[in-house]
Amino acid sequence: MEKIYVKPSKRYGRLWIYKNEIVSDVSELSPGTLVRVYELKTNKIIGTGYINPESTISVRLLSFKEETIDNEFFKLRILQSKRYREEFLGFGETYRVIFSESDFLPGLIIDKYNKCLVIQILTAGMEKFKEIIIKILDEVFCPEIIILKNDSPSRLKEGLPIEKQIIKGELKKLPMITEDNVNFLFDPLHGQKTGFFLDQRENRIFLKKLITSGTGLDLFCYVGAWSIHIAQNGAMVIGVDNSQNAIDLAKENAKINNVTEKCKFVKADVFDYLKWEIKKNKKYDFIVVDPPAFVKSRAEKTDAIEGYINLNTLALKLLKKDGVIATSSCSHHISEYEFYEIIKEAFLKNKKSGKIIYKGTQSKDHPILLSMPETAYLKCFIIKVPYCIT
């Protein structure tokens, strides 16, 4: 294992070491090489991890001590994460097993959907342990299906290929999961991320209990998770998404849950759809705004903020007085305070005010590591509009 030195720094608990912190010559090390990291001058161990000399985040730590990274290491980490979800948090058949840095396995995402496991490997360092990880998961969970969903663009930056493949079992039919007595079909091979957005679970359930009547919009509805929860509780919902595959699955999910009369799903660009509805002077009792990440890097942040403001400004034009909006951002580049300012700006543009009745984050199986605020990525505000500013 290679030994490298870094500048002294207050980095306790952080798993990332940036390129400009490294004082050793690492130019000859290949992406994914295991390294032991020491502090210059004191020779104090910082930890054990893997390196990509070309990346701004050059080292991702797996441990804060000198440790052998082998089969036993990964098995212990995975079992610890499993116990945390099942014994401490009380999750059962469906949950996020591994959430990258938050579970001290940076570059690895694993979601469990009953007997189906979906794995995402994001870094060259984690790619080197792919076979070990798959074997351990098979032993620990005994899944019927294991899917490698390695289609994240971040893999290209690591010099890794984009790939999607079933490595155990057959996907003869789409899997189904249950969330608060609502059933959902989803596509773990061709859908977004690992197929379903488990991180919004608690936010969806809160809104579901709040909305019991009226008509509303579910923007970027995907497979209809928000829509069907709300419809099951009595309201009428129109879901909008630009993906025909997502719309087809949303319709199927509405049928499975016997809410087809309360759900309508429309394939359209969300921005275009909002503008059409504004021209028709439509008004809605509630609106869900749950877009994909508008910002993937700091360089895109300014444009992304403008995009969030425009989206929420348009949505608010359609919201009735005394209406409710549930709006989210899933980018860690946008802080909670920045998202608050974005939503405040959108309200001001509409000469409206509102009361925040709920502030949510990602579900508990996506833990936030206190020493790494980057792991806190999801923001969800539910706001009631009690009056207009005139």
Side-chain angles (χ1 to χ4, degrees):
M1 189 177 295
E2 298 292 334
K3 187 175 182 178
I4 68 171
Y5 288 90
V6 297
K7 300 173 185 176
S9 174
K10 294 181 180 180
R11 61 166 63 82
Y12 184 77
R14 288 193 61 78
L15 278 70
W16 293 350
I17 295 174
Y18 291 91
K19 184 186 292 187
N20 60 7
E21 296 181 275
I22 299 173
V23 295
S24 301
D25 181 6
V26 296
S27 58
E28 298 300 318
L29 298 182
S30 61
T33 300
L34 286 174
V35 292
R36 286 212 173 98
V37 184
Y38 296 86
E39 188 175 83
L40 190 65
K41 295 181 182 178
T42 65
N43 205 37
K44 177 184 176 182
I45 181 71
I46 300 298
T48 305
Y50 58 79
I51 191 169
N52 185 341
E54 301 302 317
S55 175
T56 302
I57 304 169
S58 289
V59 177
R60 287 174 165 86
L61 295 177
L62 296 162
S63 170
F64 297 114
K65 59 184 179 180
E66 293 182 4
E67 188 159 7
T68 302
I69 309 301
D70 57 10
N71 183 85
E72 290 305 310
F73 169 85
F74 280 99
K75 188 169 186 178
L76 179 61
R77 280 279 197 274
I78 290 169
L79 286 172
Q80 287 172 336
S81 296
K82 180 177 185 289
R83 282 195 294 269
Y84 174 72
R85 269 77 172 177
E86 294 183 354
E87 296 176 18
F88 184 66
L89 297 178
F91 285 101
E93 292 300 315
T94 297
Y95 58 86
R96 174 151 290 186
V97 178
I98 299 293
F99 181 42
S100 198
E101 280 81 2
S102 290
D103 289 301
F104 302 100
L105 290 172
L108 181 64
I109 300 288
I110 302 170
D111 282 343
K112 178 180 183 293
Y113 300 107
N114 297 325
K115 291 293 185 179
C116 174
L117 289 181
V118 184
I119 305 167
Q120 287 189 311
I121 296 174
L122 307 174
T123 58
M126 204 53 72
E127 181 80 8
K128 289 180 178 289
F129 295 98
K130 178 171 68 176
E131 299 306 323
I132 288 175
I133 291 166
I134 291 169
K135 183 179 179 182
I136 293 168
L137 291 172
D138 204 15
E139 291 173 358
V140 170
F141 292 99
C142 302
E144 294 175 0
I145 300 170
I146 300 178
I147 294 172
L148 271 179
K149 188 77 183 300
N150 290 335
D151 58 352
S152 170
S154 64
R155 283 176 61 88
L156 298 175
K157 297 178 183 178
E158 293 280 315
L160 300 173
I162 298 294
E163 59 180 5
K164 294 186 290 186
Q165 57 177 316
I166 300 171
I167 56 176
K168 180 184 179 181
E170 295 180 79
L171 200 62
K172 293 181 179 179
K173 60 180 182 178
L174 295 180
M176 181 183 292
I177 60 171
T178 301
E179 182 179 274
D180 198 44
N181 298 317
V182 183
N183 297 314
F184 294 105
L185 287 173
F186 66 99
D187 189 341
L189 188 61
H190 302 293
Q192 296 179 29
K193 301 294 184 179
T194 66
F196 195 79
F197 291 97
L198 298 172
D199 53 2
Q200 288 275 25
R201 179 195 294 112
E202 292 155 24
N203 304 326
R204 284 191 289 260
I205 292 171
F206 181 91
L207 186 65
K208 171 186 181 176
K209 292 175 181 177
L210 187 70
I211 303 296
T212 58
S213 62
T215 301
L217 294 176
D218 177 10
L219 306 176
F220 306 95
C221 67
Y222 191 42
V223 299
W226 291 90
S227 298
I228 294 165
H229 270 297
I230 297 169
Q232 193 189 56
N233 212 29
M236 305 287 290
V237 192
I238 300 169
V240 184
D241 200 282
N242 200 33
S243 165
Q244 186 62 55
N245 289 337
I247 292 295
D248 291 343
L249 267 176
K251 290 178 179 177
E252 186 64 25
N253 284 326
K255 183 178 179 181
I256 290 167
N257 290 282
N258 299 312
V259 291
T260 52
E261 292 183 2
K262 292 184 176 294
C263 289
K264 177 184 176 182
F265 294 101
V266 178
K267 180 186 179 299
D269 176 86
V270 166
F271 285 89
D272 290 342
Y273 187 86
L274 290 173
K275 291 170 186 175
W276 296 334
E277 295 294 275
I278 290 166
K279 285 182 180 179
K280 292 186 284 186
N281 202 31
K282 288 289 188 70
K283 294 292 179 181
Y284 293 95
D285 298 289
F286 60 90
I287 299 175
V288 176
V289 184
D290 187 16
F294 282 179
V295 51
K296 303 292 179 66
S297 68
R298 291 192 182 278
E300 301 171 347
K301 188 169 177 176
T302 301
D303 289 342
I305 288 173
E306 191 64 30
Y308 281 119
I309 292 172
N310 290 339
L311 173 62
N312 284 277
T313 299
L314 290 171
L316 283 166
K317 289 182 185 299
L318 295 171
L319 194 63
K320 289 180 181 179
K321 182 178 179 180
D322 295 330
V324 172
I325 183 169
T327 183
S328 297
S329 166
C330 60
S331 172
H332 77 259
H333 294 289
I334 303 290
S335 70
E336 182 180 301
Y337 175 75
E338 287 170 325
F339 192 55
Y340 172 87
E341 289 295 315
I342 286 167
I343 303 308
K344 185 173 75 172
E345 178 70 15
F347 268 81
L348 289 174
K349 282 178 175 288
N350 280 280
K351 295 184 179 180
K352 291 181 178 179
S353 185
K355 295 181 179 180
I356 297 176
I357 55 178
Y358 173 89
K359 287 200 299 185
T361 185
Q362 62 242 41
S363 179
K364 297 180 186 69
D365 52 345
H366 298 60
I368 297 168
L369 192 61
L370 189 61
S371 56
M372 293 200 65
E374 296 88 351
T375 60
Y377 68 96
L378 183 62
K379 286 75 60 181
C380 178
F381 294 169
I382 299 180
I383 304 167
K384 185 170 179 61
V385 183
Y387 59 91
C388 293
I389 299 173
T390 56

